[in-house]
Amino acid sequence: MKNVLFISAALEMSDSSAAIRNRKLVKALAQSFQVDSIEFSPRNAEKMCELPNISNIVLKMPFSFQNSSKKKGKSYGQLNKIKDRLKYYTKSIVPDSYAANYRHMVTSIDNNAPDKKYQIVIISSDPKGVHFLWFSSFVKKLINNGAKTYQYWGDPWAGDIASYNNTLTKVLEKRIYSKSKYIIFNSKGTFLEKSEGSPHKEKFLFLSRGLDCDVTSFPEEDSIKLEGKIRFIYAGDFHSRFRNLNPFCEAIKNSPHELAIVGNGDLKEDYHALDNISIKKRMPYKEVSQLVESGDVLLVLLNNIGNQIPGKIYDLASKNKPVMLLYENEKILDFIPFSSRFILVKNVESEIENVISKISNSNIIIDYKELKKENYQEKVLEIFDSGKS
């Protein structure tokens, strides 16, 4: 049995989208390989889950995450605004705190990593800074000892719609790409975009996020009757520059239906005052899961720019509930997996109102036929236990 070393900054000690994706991959790997993991974690992080069948070394980083919601009150001065702007532009070369603490990561991994031979080494983001470990002597030693190496990227660095990047970002990203044998992207659109004209395209691979459960026993389709008041659930961030929740709020505010929002973002007016819209900040994954179960229809906001597909498409697809995908950029629809599973709606107030009217007091057919073909374990083995390993 091959030994696999999985290095990340989001696994057992995080509930981020990247952590959920990483946990699904590690569980799949553990069915065929002996998996060890090294996880870099903020100093104040707590364990969010326990992964069986893996050995996980948690290395604490010398920082705690700041609560940005507390710092921008009336006393938030001009100097702090300048500092924020400088941090924004610095992200083109130092994408996050992990990259800024690169030397600490290298020292920690050199002093704590197991003295063991690995056939496969995987470094997985987000955060992106964990990929700076490709420059460490420890990882170089593993490569010299014959390990096959894989980078697994969530959001890309160059081209990330949520942060500033420029030509220098592209240069540094390409340098990181050169350090491993294969580069895996979790979004088909990003994989195709990065492959076009790239000198590294021969090593580029695509591996989507795994589903929440085994769907082989699902029926080919199911019927859900929506009667009376519909409870819509949106769990995720909603920054209007690339995920605009305002049209849905406008469409529902004068209706008899409810909308529960959990996440961070901006809305154009104070919807808190409305009885049928509730808005809460981010909460632990277990609490979000409970909220999702309380909903009648689940919402996903697709990015209005870029090619990245929200991971929650895979998380929600196996739920026995209607899932509505709100889109502005029609090109991104080309990259939606098992699209017949979802209700696709243009993110425009009038379009949303029309669809809500159609599904109210109606039978909704959930089509699982495409979804049932999804075999994540097979995809994982194809990449890591075939000619690619």
Side-chain angles (χ1 to χ4, degrees), residues 21 123-125 131 150-158 173-174 177 182-196 198 200-209 307-309 314 376 383-384:
R21 169 172 50 82
I123 299 183
S124 178
S125 55
H131 285 297
Y150 297 80
Q151 298 176 25
Y152 193 18
W153 287 81
D155 292 329
W157 187 8
E173 185 182 64
K174 286 179 181 178
Y177 286 170
Y182 297 106
I183 295 99
I184 306 171
F185 301 99
N186 83 317
S187 174
K188 185 68 172 288
T190 301
F191 162 73
L192 293 173
E193 181 182 9
K194 293 290 185 180
S195 298
E196 189 174 350
S198 172
H200 300 291
K201 65 181 179 181
E202 297 283 333
K203 54 172 42 175
F204 288 172
L205 303 169
F206 165 60
L207 177 65
S208 65
R209 188 188 190 103
N307 295 315
Q308 286 290 105
I309 298 295
Y314 291 89
Y376 183 64
I383 287 177
F384 297 102

Short mmCIF file of all heavy atoms in Angstrom, two decimals, residues 21 123-125 131 150-158 173-174 177 182-196 198 200-209 307-309 314 376 383-384:
data_model
loop_
_atom_site.label_atom_id
_atom_site.label_comp_id
_atom_site.label_asym_id
_atom_site.label_seq_id
_atom_site.Cartn_x
_atom_site.Cartn_y
_atom_site.Cartn_z
N ARG A 21 -13.77 20.28 1.40
CA ARG A 21 -13.26 19.64 0.19
C ARG A 21 -12.09 18.72 0.51
O ARG A 21 -12.02 17.58 0.02
CB ARG A 21 -12.83 20.70 -0.83
CG ARG A 21 -12.06 20.16 -2.01
CD ARG A 21 -11.83 21.20 -3.08
NE ARG A 21 -11.28 22.44 -2.59
CZ ARG A 21 -9.99 22.65 -2.35
NH1 ARG A 21 -9.12 21.67 -2.53
NH2 ARG A 21 -9.57 23.82 -1.93
N ILE A 123 -0.08 18.84 -1.68
CA ILE A 123 -0.27 20.09 -0.92
C ILE A 123 -1.51 20.76 -1.47
O ILE A 123 -1.62 20.98 -2.68
CB ILE A 123 0.95 21.03 -1.03
CG1 ILE A 123 2.20 20.35 -0.45
CG2 ILE A 123 0.67 22.34 -0.28
CD1 ILE A 123 3.45 21.23 -0.45
N SER A 124 -2.46 21.05 -0.57
CA SER A 124 -3.77 21.51 -0.99
C SER A 124 -4.13 22.85 -0.37
O SER A 124 -4.00 23.05 0.83
CB SER A 124 -4.83 20.46 -0.61
OG SER A 124 -6.13 20.90 -0.96
N SER A 125 -4.56 23.79 -1.22
CA SER A 125 -5.08 25.07 -0.75
C SER A 125 -6.61 25.04 -0.90
O SER A 125 -7.14 24.12 -1.54
CB SER A 125 -4.48 26.21 -1.59
OG SER A 125 -4.74 25.99 -2.96
N HIS A 131 1.05 26.64 -0.42
CA HIS A 131 1.84 26.18 -1.56
C HIS A 131 3.27 26.72 -1.54
O HIS A 131 4.11 26.25 -2.31
CB HIS A 131 1.16 26.57 -2.87
CG HIS A 131 -0.04 25.73 -3.20
ND1 HIS A 131 0.04 24.38 -3.42
CD2 HIS A 131 -1.36 26.05 -3.31
CE1 HIS A 131 -1.17 23.90 -3.67
NE2 HIS A 131 -2.03 24.89 -3.62
N TYR A 150 1.77 16.48 -6.13
CA TYR A 150 0.53 17.06 -6.63
C TYR A 150 0.20 18.35 -5.88
O TYR A 150 0.22 18.37 -4.64
CB TYR A 150 -0.64 16.09 -6.42
CG TYR A 150 -0.54 14.78 -7.14
CD1 TYR A 150 0.26 13.74 -6.64
CD2 TYR A 150 -1.26 14.55 -8.31
CE1 TYR A 150 0.34 12.53 -7.29
CE2 TYR A 150 -1.17 13.33 -8.97
CZ TYR A 150 -0.38 12.32 -8.46
OH TYR A 150 -0.29 11.11 -9.09
N GLN A 151 -0.11 19.39 -6.62
CA GLN A 151 -0.70 20.59 -6.04
C GLN A 151 -2.20 20.54 -6.29
O GLN A 151 -2.63 20.27 -7.42
CB GLN A 151 -0.14 21.86 -6.69
CG GLN A 151 1.35 22.05 -6.52
CD GLN A 151 1.86 23.27 -7.28
OE1 GLN A 151 1.11 24.21 -7.55
NE2 GLN A 151 3.14 23.25 -7.64
N TYR A 152 -3.00 20.80 -5.25
CA TYR A 152 -4.45 20.84 -5.42
C TYR A 152 -4.90 22.26 -5.08
O TYR A 152 -4.75 22.71 -3.95
CB TYR A 152 -5.11 19.81 -4.50
CG TYR A 152 -6.57 19.55 -4.81
CD1 TYR A 152 -7.15 19.89 -6.02
CD2 TYR A 152 -7.38 18.91 -3.88
CE1 TYR A 152 -8.47 19.63 -6.30
CE2 TYR A 152 -8.71 18.63 -4.14
CZ TYR A 152 -9.26 19.00 -5.35
OH TYR A 152 -10.58 18.75 -5.62
N TRP A 153 -5.46 22.94 -6.07
CA TRP A 153 -5.85 24.34 -5.91
C TRP A 153 -7.36 24.47 -5.82
O TRP A 153 -8.09 23.92 -6.65
CB TRP A 153 -5.34 25.18 -7.09
CG TRP A 153 -3.86 25.42 -7.06
CD1 TRP A 153 -2.88 24.56 -7.47
CD2 TRP A 153 -3.19 26.59 -6.60
NE1 TRP A 153 -1.64 25.12 -7.29
CE2 TRP A 153 -1.80 26.38 -6.76
CE3 TRP A 153 -3.63 27.81 -6.08
CZ2 TRP A 153 -0.85 27.33 -6.41
CZ3 TRP A 153 -2.68 28.76 -5.73
CH2 TRP A 153 -1.31 28.51 -5.89
N GLY A 154 -7.82 25.22 -4.81
CA GLY A 154 -9.22 25.62 -4.75
C GLY A 154 -9.37 26.84 -5.65
O GLY A 154 -9.47 26.71 -6.86
N ASP A 155 -9.36 28.03 -5.07
CA ASP A 155 -9.32 29.24 -5.89
C ASP A 155 -7.93 29.40 -6.48
O ASP A 155 -6.92 29.10 -5.82
CB ASP A 155 -9.65 30.48 -5.04
CG ASP A 155 -11.10 30.49 -4.58
OD1 ASP A 155 -11.96 29.95 -5.31
OD2 ASP A 155 -11.37 31.03 -3.49
N PRO A 156 -7.83 29.86 -7.72
CA PRO A 156 -6.51 30.14 -8.29
C PRO A 156 -5.89 31.35 -7.61
O PRO A 156 -6.60 32.12 -6.95
CB PRO A 156 -6.82 30.42 -9.76
CG PRO A 156 -8.20 31.00 -9.74
CD PRO A 156 -8.93 30.28 -8.63
N TRP A 157 -4.59 31.54 -7.75
CA TRP A 157 -3.96 32.75 -7.21
C TRP A 157 -4.09 33.86 -8.25
O TRP A 157 -4.78 34.85 -8.02
CB TRP A 157 -2.50 32.46 -6.87
CG TRP A 157 -1.80 33.58 -6.17
CD1 TRP A 157 -2.37 34.73 -5.68
CD2 TRP A 157 -0.41 33.66 -5.86
NE1 TRP A 157 -1.42 35.52 -5.08
CE2 TRP A 157 -0.20 34.89 -5.18
CE3 TRP A 157 0.67 32.82 -6.08
CZ2 TRP A 157 1.05 35.29 -4.73
CZ3 TRP A 157 1.92 33.22 -5.62
CH2 TRP A 157 2.11 34.44 -4.96
N ALA A 158 -3.47 33.67 -9.41
CA ALA A 158 -3.67 34.64 -10.49
C ALA A 158 -5.06 34.43 -11.09
O ALA A 158 -5.38 33.33 -11.52
CB ALA A 158 -2.60 34.45 -11.56
N GLU A 173 2.99 32.44 -9.52
CA GLU A 173 2.14 31.26 -9.63
C GLU A 173 2.79 30.22 -10.53
O GLU A 173 2.83 29.02 -10.21
CB GLU A 173 0.76 31.65 -10.14
CG GLU A 173 -0.23 30.49 -10.18
CD GLU A 173 -1.57 30.92 -10.74
OE1 GLU A 173 -1.62 31.31 -11.93
OE2 GLU A 173 -2.56 30.87 -9.99
N LYS A 174 3.32 30.66 -11.68
CA LYS A 174 3.97 29.73 -12.61
C LYS A 174 5.20 29.09 -11.96
O LYS A 174 5.50 27.91 -12.21
CB LYS A 174 4.37 30.47 -13.89
CG LYS A 174 3.20 30.80 -14.79
CD LYS A 174 3.65 31.55 -16.03
CE LYS A 174 2.46 31.90 -16.93
NZ LYS A 174 2.88 32.68 -18.12
N TYR A 177 3.91 26.38 -9.82
CA TYR A 177 3.49 25.27 -10.67
C TYR A 177 4.67 24.40 -11.07
O TYR A 177 4.54 23.17 -11.21
CB TYR A 177 2.82 25.80 -11.95
CG TYR A 177 1.43 26.37 -11.78
CD1 TYR A 177 0.82 27.07 -12.83
CD2 TYR A 177 0.71 26.23 -10.59
CE1 TYR A 177 -0.46 27.59 -12.71
CE2 TYR A 177 -0.55 26.76 -10.45
CZ TYR A 177 -1.14 27.44 -11.52
OH TYR A 177 -2.40 27.96 -11.39
N TYR A 182 2.31 17.37 -10.92
CA TYR A 182 0.95 17.61 -11.38
C TYR A 182 0.30 18.74 -10.61
O TYR A 182 0.58 18.95 -9.42
CB TYR A 182 0.09 16.34 -11.23
CG TYR A 182 0.57 15.18 -12.05
CD1 TYR A 182 1.22 14.10 -11.45
CD2 TYR A 182 0.40 15.16 -13.43
CE1 TYR A 182 1.67 13.02 -12.21
CE2 TYR A 182 0.86 14.10 -14.20
CZ TYR A 182 1.49 13.04 -13.58
OH TYR A 182 1.96 11.99 -14.33
N ILE A 183 -0.58 19.47 -11.29
CA ILE A 183 -1.37 20.54 -10.68
C ILE A 183 -2.83 20.22 -10.91
O ILE A 183 -3.25 20.01 -12.06
CB ILE A 183 -1.04 21.93 -11.26
CG1 ILE A 183 0.40 22.33 -10.93
CG2 ILE A 183 -1.97 22.99 -10.70
CD1 ILE A 183 1.37 22.10 -12.05
N ILE A 184 -3.60 20.13 -9.83
CA ILE A 184 -5.01 19.77 -9.91
C ILE A 184 -5.86 20.99 -9.58
O ILE A 184 -5.62 21.68 -8.58
CB ILE A 184 -5.35 18.63 -8.91
CG1 ILE A 184 -4.41 17.44 -9.11
CG2 ILE A 184 -6.80 18.19 -9.07
CD1 ILE A 184 -4.55 16.38 -8.04
N PHE A 185 -6.88 21.23 -10.40
CA PHE A 185 -7.85 22.31 -10.14
C PHE A 185 -9.20 21.68 -9.82
O PHE A 185 -9.58 20.67 -10.40
CB PHE A 185 -7.97 23.22 -11.37
CG PHE A 185 -6.69 23.87 -11.77
CD1 PHE A 185 -5.92 23.35 -12.80
CD2 PHE A 185 -6.23 25.00 -11.11
CE1 PHE A 185 -4.73 23.94 -13.18
CE2 PHE A 185 -5.03 25.60 -11.47
CZ PHE A 185 -4.28 25.07 -12.50
N ASN A 186 -9.93 22.31 -8.90
CA ASN A 186 -11.22 21.73 -8.51
C ASN A 186 -12.39 22.35 -9.27
O ASN A 186 -13.54 22.01 -9.01
CB ASN A 186 -11.44 21.84 -6.99
CG ASN A 186 -11.98 23.19 -6.57
OD1 ASN A 186 -11.53 24.22 -7.06
ND2 ASN A 186 -12.95 23.19 -5.69
N SER A 187 -12.10 23.26 -10.20
CA SER A 187 -13.14 23.85 -11.04
C SER A 187 -12.78 23.62 -12.50
O SER A 187 -11.66 23.91 -12.93
CB SER A 187 -13.27 25.35 -10.76
OG SER A 187 -14.17 25.96 -11.66
N LYS A 188 -13.74 23.07 -13.26
CA LYS A 188 -13.48 22.76 -14.68
C LYS A 188 -13.15 24.02 -15.46
O LYS A 188 -12.26 24.03 -16.31
CB LYS A 188 -14.73 22.08 -15.27
CG LYS A 188 -14.57 21.59 -16.70
CD LYS A 188 -13.60 20.43 -16.77
CE LYS A 188 -13.56 19.80 -18.16
NZ LYS A 188 -14.78 19.03 -18.45
N GLY A 189 -13.85 25.12 -15.17
CA GLY A 189 -13.60 26.36 -15.89
C GLY A 189 -12.20 26.89 -15.67
O GLY A 189 -11.52 27.34 -16.61
N THR A 190 -11.73 26.83 -14.42
CA THR A 190 -10.38 27.29 -14.11
C THR A 190 -9.35 26.37 -14.76
O THR A 190 -8.33 26.83 -15.29
CB THR A 190 -10.17 27.33 -12.58
OG1 THR A 190 -11.12 28.21 -12.00
CG2 THR A 190 -8.76 27.81 -12.24
N PHE A 191 -9.61 25.07 -14.74
CA PHE A 191 -8.71 24.11 -15.40
C PHE A 191 -8.54 24.44 -16.88
O PHE A 191 -7.42 24.47 -17.40
CB PHE A 191 -9.27 22.69 -15.21
CG PHE A 191 -8.72 21.68 -16.16
CD1 PHE A 191 -7.42 21.21 -16.04
CD2 PHE A 191 -9.51 21.17 -17.19
CE1 PHE A 191 -6.91 20.28 -16.93
CE2 PHE A 191 -9.01 20.24 -18.08
CZ PHE A 191 -7.71 19.79 -17.95
N LEU A 192 -9.64 24.71 -17.56
CA LEU A 192 -9.57 25.02 -19.00
C LEU A 192 -8.88 26.35 -19.25
O LEU A 192 -8.07 26.49 -20.17
CB LEU A 192 -10.98 25.03 -19.58
CG LEU A 192 -11.71 23.68 -19.61
CD1 LEU A 192 -13.15 23.85 -20.06
CD2 LEU A 192 -10.98 22.68 -20.51
N GLU A 193 -9.19 27.35 -18.41
CA GLU A 193 -8.58 28.67 -18.57
C GLU A 193 -7.08 28.62 -18.35
O GLU A 193 -6.31 29.20 -19.11
CB GLU A 193 -9.24 29.66 -17.61
CG GLU A 193 -8.69 31.08 -17.73
CD GLU A 193 -9.32 32.03 -16.72
OE1 GLU A 193 -10.05 31.58 -15.83
OE2 GLU A 193 -9.05 33.24 -16.82
N LYS A 194 -6.65 27.93 -17.29
CA LYS A 194 -5.22 27.83 -16.99
C LYS A 194 -4.47 27.00 -18.04
O LYS A 194 -3.29 27.25 -18.31
CB LYS A 194 -5.02 27.21 -15.60
CG LYS A 194 -5.51 28.06 -14.44
CD LYS A 194 -4.64 29.28 -14.24
CE LYS A 194 -5.06 30.05 -13.01
NZ LYS A 194 -4.23 31.26 -12.80
N SER A 195 -5.16 26.02 -18.63
CA SER A 195 -4.51 25.15 -19.61
C SER A 195 -4.23 25.87 -20.92
O SER A 195 -3.25 25.56 -21.61
CB SER A 195 -5.39 23.93 -19.89
OG SER A 195 -5.57 23.16 -18.73
N GLU A 196 -5.06 26.84 -21.26
CA GLU A 196 -4.95 27.51 -22.55
C GLU A 196 -3.63 28.28 -22.66
O GLU A 196 -3.39 29.25 -21.96
CB GLU A 196 -6.13 28.47 -22.74
CG GLU A 196 -6.22 29.05 -24.14
CD GLU A 196 -7.48 29.88 -24.34
OE1 GLU A 196 -8.37 29.83 -23.47
OE2 GLU A 196 -7.56 30.57 -25.36
N SER A 198 -0.70 27.49 -21.71
CA SER A 198 0.26 27.37 -20.61
C SER A 198 1.36 26.36 -20.93
O SER A 198 1.07 25.28 -21.47
CB SER A 198 -0.45 26.93 -19.33
OG SER A 198 0.49 26.64 -18.32
N HIS A 200 2.70 24.64 -18.83
CA HIS A 200 2.53 23.57 -17.84
C HIS A 200 1.28 22.73 -18.09
O HIS A 200 0.94 21.86 -17.28
CB HIS A 200 2.44 24.17 -16.43
CG HIS A 200 3.64 24.95 -16.00
ND1 HIS A 200 4.86 24.37 -15.76
CD2 HIS A 200 3.80 26.27 -15.79
CE1 HIS A 200 5.73 25.31 -15.40
NE2 HIS A 200 5.12 26.47 -15.42
N LYS A 201 0.57 22.94 -19.21
CA LYS A 201 -0.74 22.32 -19.38
C LYS A 201 -0.68 20.79 -19.41
O LYS A 201 -1.67 20.13 -19.10
CB LYS A 201 -1.43 22.86 -20.64
CG LYS A 201 -0.75 22.52 -21.94
CD LYS A 201 -1.54 23.13 -23.11
CE LYS A 201 -0.88 22.83 -24.45
NZ LYS A 201 -1.65 23.46 -25.56
N GLU A 202 0.47 20.23 -19.74
CA GLU A 202 0.60 18.77 -19.76
C GLU A 202 0.43 18.19 -18.35
O GLU A 202 0.04 17.03 -18.20
CB GLU A 202 1.99 18.38 -20.30
CG GLU A 202 2.24 18.81 -21.73
CD GLU A 202 1.53 17.91 -22.73
OE1 GLU A 202 1.31 16.74 -22.39
OE2 GLU A 202 1.21 18.38 -23.83
N LYS A 203 0.71 18.99 -17.34
CA LYS A 203 0.63 18.48 -15.97
C LYS A 203 -0.68 18.89 -15.28
O LYS A 203 -0.90 18.56 -14.13
CB LYS A 203 1.83 18.96 -15.16
CG LYS A 203 2.00 20.47 -15.20
CD LYS A 203 3.06 21.04 -14.26
CE LYS A 203 4.34 20.39 -14.11
NZ LYS A 203 5.30 21.11 -13.26
N PHE A 204 -1.54 19.64 -15.96
CA PHE A 204 -2.79 20.11 -15.35
C PHE A 204 -3.85 19.01 -15.35
O PHE A 204 -4.06 18.32 -16.36
CB PHE A 204 -3.33 21.32 -16.10
CG PHE A 204 -2.54 22.59 -15.89
CD1 PHE A 204 -2.80 23.73 -16.63
CD2 PHE A 204 -1.53 22.66 -14.94
CE1 PHE A 204 -2.09 24.89 -16.44
CE2 PHE A 204 -0.80 23.81 -14.74
CZ PHE A 204 -1.08 24.94 -15.50
N LEU A 205 -4.55 18.88 -14.24
CA LEU A 205 -5.61 17.89 -14.07
C LEU A 205 -6.83 18.56 -13.45
O LEU A 205 -6.73 19.63 -12.85
CB LEU A 205 -5.16 16.74 -13.16
CG LEU A 205 -3.90 15.97 -13.58
CD1 LEU A 205 -3.43 15.07 -12.45
CD2 LEU A 205 -4.16 15.17 -14.84
N PHE A 206 -7.98 17.91 -13.58
CA PHE A 206 -9.22 18.41 -12.98
C PHE A 206 -9.81 17.36 -12.06
O PHE A 206 -9.97 16.20 -12.43
CB PHE A 206 -10.23 18.77 -14.07
CG PHE A 206 -11.64 18.95 -13.57
CD1 PHE A 206 -11.93 19.93 -12.62
CD2 PHE A 206 -12.68 18.16 -14.05
CE1 PHE A 206 -13.23 20.09 -12.14
CE2 PHE A 206 -13.97 18.33 -13.59
CZ PHE A 206 -14.25 19.30 -12.63
N LEU A 207 -10.08 17.76 -10.81
CA LEU A 207 -10.76 16.89 -9.85
C LEU A 207 -11.77 17.72 -9.09
O LEU A 207 -11.41 18.63 -8.34
CB LEU A 207 -9.77 16.25 -8.88
CG LEU A 207 -10.40 15.37 -7.78
CD1 LEU A 207 -11.08 14.15 -8.40
CD2 LEU A 207 -9.36 14.94 -6.75
N SER A 208 -13.04 17.42 -9.30
CA SER A 208 -14.09 18.17 -8.62
C SER A 208 -14.16 17.80 -7.15
O SER A 208 -13.53 16.84 -6.70
CB SER A 208 -15.44 17.90 -9.29
OG SER A 208 -15.80 16.53 -9.11
N ARG A 209 -14.94 18.52 -6.42
CA ARG A 209 -15.22 18.22 -5.02
C ARG A 209 -16.11 16.97 -4.95
O ARG A 209 -16.93 16.72 -5.83
CB ARG A 209 -15.97 19.43 -4.46
CG ARG A 209 -16.24 19.47 -2.98
CD ARG A 209 -17.16 20.65 -2.76
NE ARG A 209 -17.39 21.02 -1.38
CZ ARG A 209 -16.81 22.05 -0.77
NH1 ARG A 209 -15.95 22.79 -1.45
NH2 ARG A 209 -17.09 22.36 0.47
N ASN A 307 -14.54 31.80 -13.46
CA ASN A 307 -14.96 30.45 -13.83
C ASN A 307 -15.13 29.51 -12.65
O ASN A 307 -15.42 28.33 -12.84
CB ASN A 307 -13.94 29.82 -14.79
CG ASN A 307 -13.87 30.55 -16.11
OD1 ASN A 307 -14.89 30.88 -16.69
ND2 ASN A 307 -12.65 30.82 -16.58
N GLN A 308 -14.94 30.00 -11.42
CA GLN A 308 -15.02 29.14 -10.25
C GLN A 308 -16.46 28.78 -9.92
O GLN A 308 -17.34 29.64 -9.92
CB GLN A 308 -14.38 29.81 -9.03
CG GLN A 308 -12.86 29.87 -9.07
CD GLN A 308 -12.22 28.51 -8.89
OE1 GLN A 308 -11.72 27.93 -9.85
NE2 GLN A 308 -12.24 27.98 -7.69
N ILE A 309 -16.68 27.50 -9.62
CA ILE A 309 -17.99 27.00 -9.22
C ILE A 309 -18.01 26.86 -7.70
O ILE A 309 -17.12 26.25 -7.12
CB ILE A 309 -18.27 25.62 -9.85
CG1 ILE A 309 -18.29 25.72 -11.37
CG2 ILE A 309 -19.58 25.04 -9.34
CD1 ILE A 309 -19.39 26.56 -11.92
N TYR A 314 -21.80 20.89 -4.83
CA TYR A 314 -21.58 19.48 -4.54
C TYR A 314 -22.12 19.10 -3.17
O TYR A 314 -22.59 17.98 -2.97
CB TYR A 314 -20.08 19.16 -4.63
CG TYR A 314 -19.54 19.24 -6.04
CD1 TYR A 314 -19.06 20.44 -6.56
CD2 TYR A 314 -19.53 18.12 -6.86
CE1 TYR A 314 -18.58 20.51 -7.86
CE2 TYR A 314 -19.05 18.18 -8.16
CZ TYR A 314 -18.58 19.38 -8.65
OH TYR A 314 -18.11 19.46 -9.95
N TYR A 376 -16.89 9.71 -7.36
CA TYR A 376 -15.73 10.47 -6.88
C TYR A 376 -14.55 9.54 -6.59
O TYR A 376 -13.41 9.85 -6.94
CB TYR A 376 -16.13 11.25 -5.63
CG TYR A 376 -15.05 12.12 -5.06
CD1 TYR A 376 -14.54 13.21 -5.77
CD2 TYR A 376 -14.53 11.89 -3.79
CE1 TYR A 376 -13.55 14.03 -5.25
CE2 TYR A 376 -13.55 12.71 -3.25
CZ TYR A 376 -13.06 13.77 -3.98
OH TYR A 376 -12.08 14.58 -3.45
N ILE A 383 -6.57 9.49 -10.78
CA ILE A 383 -5.49 10.48 -10.70
C ILE A 383 -4.31 9.96 -9.88
O ILE A 383 -3.16 10.06 -10.29
CB ILE A 383 -6.01 11.80 -10.11
CG1 ILE A 383 -6.90 12.51 -11.13
CG2 ILE A 383 -4.86 12.70 -9.65
CD1 ILE A 383 -7.52 13.79 -10.63
N PHE A 384 -4.60 9.38 -8.71
CA PHE A 384 -3.52 9.07 -7.77
C PHE A 384 -3.03 7.62 -7.81
O PHE A 384 -2.00 7.31 -7.23
CB PHE A 384 -3.95 9.41 -6.35
CG PHE A 384 -4.24 10.86 -6.12
CD1 PHE A 384 -5.54 11.34 -6.07
CD2 PHE A 384 -3.20 11.77 -5.99
CE1 PHE A 384 -5.80 12.69 -5.88
CE2 PHE A 384 -3.45 13.11 -5.81
CZ PHE A 384 -4.77 13.58 -5.76
#
